[in-house]
Amino acid sequence: MGMMSEFKEFAMRGNVIDLAVGVVIGAAFGKIVTVLVEDVIMPPIGLLIGGVDFSSIAITLKAATVDAAGEVVPAVQIGIGNFINALITFVIIAFAIFMVVKAINRMSRKPEAAPAEPSEEILLLREIRNSLQR
């Protein structure tokens, strides 16, 4: 079997295509949640804690300077606010995926079958046991 035909067989399996669709939808969903967190959720939270914009929270390791040529050397900062936004985004995405998986599991769960009636042999053995106990 040639490499191209092997690759075609691999790529056309249902699981691979499902995975590709899931990745594309997941990326789009991630962008939606990122916008939701940054533009809808974080501004009210920042307002509640005193007008803080989380994306601007940073620890400055080295302040911006101007070198001898007159060019501005940007500051070196650790963007803690961006990390907080990413963390909240992750929690929201994880919760949403959890809810979707939970709903899918609930829909795909097979109803529990009623226990089957015992066979005639079992019923006969029970009668024998009961009569011996008397």
Side-chain angles (χ1 to χ4, degrees):
M1 185 182 276
M3 186 181 289
M4 288 304 290
S5 60
E6 259 184 83
F7 177 72
K8 182 179 178 184
E9 181 183 333
F10 168 77
M12 291 301 147
R13 286 187 189 154
N15 293 343
V16 174
I17 294 172
D18 291 344
L19 179 63
V21 169
V23 167
V24 171
I25 290 175
F29 183 69
K31 289 179 184 178
I32 290 169
V33 172
T34 300
V35 170
L36 175 72
V37 169
E38 290 177 357
D39 296 338
V40 177
I41 295 174
M42 294 311 286
I45 291 174
L47 183 64
L48 287 174
I49 63 171
V52 176
D53 177 17
F54 279 95
S55 62
S56 65
I57 297 175
I59 297 174
T60 303
L61 300 176
K62 181 180 175 189
T65 57
V66 178
D67 64 6
E71 295 180 14
V72 176
V73 178
V76 178
Q77 294 182 330
I78 298 175
I80 294 175
N82 289 332
F83 175 73
I84 292 171
N85 281 347
L87 191 63
I88 291 173
T89 302
F90 170 77
V91 169
I92 291 172
I93 290 174
F95 181 73
I97 290 173
F98 168 75
M99 295 305 289
V100 168
V101 168
K102 187 174 179 178
I104 289 171
N105 287 342
R106 187 178 302 135
M107 289 188 309
S108 66
R109 189 178 305 148
K110 296 176 184 173
E112 294 183 19
E117 297 220 6
S119 66
E120 289 183 37
E121 295 167 345
I122 300 290
L123 293 175
L124 182 60
L125 288 171
R126 285 182 184 169
E127 285 180 28
I128 293 171
R129 180 194 66 198
N130 293 341
S131 63
L132 289 174
Q133 285 178 347
R134 292 182 198 151

